[in-house]
Amino acid sequence: MTTDSQTNNPEGTCAFCDVVKPDEHALRDHVLNVHPDEFCGLYHPQPCQHDRRERYMAALLQADPYALVERRDDRARFANAVMAVADAEMAALLRAAAEMAESLRQFEPATGARKAAQVSENVGVLRVAEALRRIADQAQPTT
């Protein structure tokens, strides 16, 4: 019997309940649909939006010594407002990073292997800049 490296459970067994699924994709769908709060921590290498909102809400609760945002609904509303501001700034930050990446291209004279390496590096820099702009376009808030 093999075990899942992420959960140390027998392969196909849900880490949160006794459900057994036939393959990894079915198990992932089960966790997403039945245990959505745990899904992000189990399957995403970086924090997802739900985790981010929870961290913002916890920070609001810690920053409010007088419990003015005691209700979870209020904290969620404030966290959403803060996330909207951060998201609006994210696109501009990514575009600035793309500009900085493009400024790193090298144009000094080179020959032989160094010239091929320089061309390769410049292509890589352009690809990074393009990827950053694509992410910025996706992060652009739609209002």
Side-chain angles (χ1 to χ4, degrees), residues 6-75:
Q6 288 180 321
T7 62
N8 293 325
N9 288 343
E11 194 170 344
T13 303
C14 179
F16 308 106
C17 64
D18 295 330
V19 170
V20 177
K21 293 293 180 176
D23 60 31
E24 182 179 336
H25 297 291
L27 180 60
R28 185 181 174 112
D29 288 343
H30 163 78
V31 174
L32 176 62
N33 293 317
V34 179
H35 312 288
D37 292 341
E38 289 82 8
F39 180 82
C40 293
L42 190 60
Y43 288 103
H44 291 168
Q46 72 274 356
C48 68
Q49 290 290 72
H50 178 77
D51 288 341
R52 184 174 165 219
R53 182 176 291 108
E54 289 297 321
R55 287 194 319 273
Y56 280 34
M57 289 170 53
L60 283 167
L61 188 60
Q62 290 173 353
D64 186 7
Y66 303 107
L68 296 176
V69 288
E70 188 174 279
R71 291 184 31 221
R72 181 175 174 79
D73 291 343
D74 291 338
R75 288 195 311 273

Side-chain angles (χ1 to χ4, degrees), residues 91 94-95 131-142:
L94 288 166
R95 289 185 204 294
L132 288 170
R133 286 192 182 96
R134 188 172 37 251
I135 294 169
D137 290 342
Q138 293 170 355
Q140 190 71 34
T142 55

Side-chain angles (χ1 to χ4, degrees), residues 45-134:
Q46 72 274 356
C48 68
Q49 290 290 72
H50 178 77
D51 288 341
R52 184 174 165 219
R53 182 176 291 108
E54 289 297 321
R55 287 194 319 273
Y56 280 34
M57 289 170 53
L60 283 167
L61 188 60
Q62 290 173 353
D64 186 7
Y66 303 107
L68 296 176
V69 288
E70 188 174 279
R71 291 184 31 221
R72 181 175 174 79
D73 291 343
D74 291 338
R75 288 195 311 273
R77 191 166 33 88
F78 286 129
N80 288 340
V82 171
M83 286 173 61
V85 171
D87 288 344
E89 294 173 349
M90 184 60 68
L93 182 64
L94 288 166
R95 289 185 204 294
E99 293 297 320
M100 181 185 290
E102 280 190 348
S103 74
L104 297 175
R105 291 185 296 165
Q106 300 177 7
F107 296 105
E108 64 267 359
T111 59
R114 179 63 200 131
K115 183 172 185 171
Q118 186 181 53
V119 169
S120 178
E121 290 169 5
N122 286 345
V123 168
V125 164
L126 291 173
R127 286 182 177 163
V128 167
E130 179 185 340
L132 288 170
R133 286 192 182 96
R134 188 172 37 251

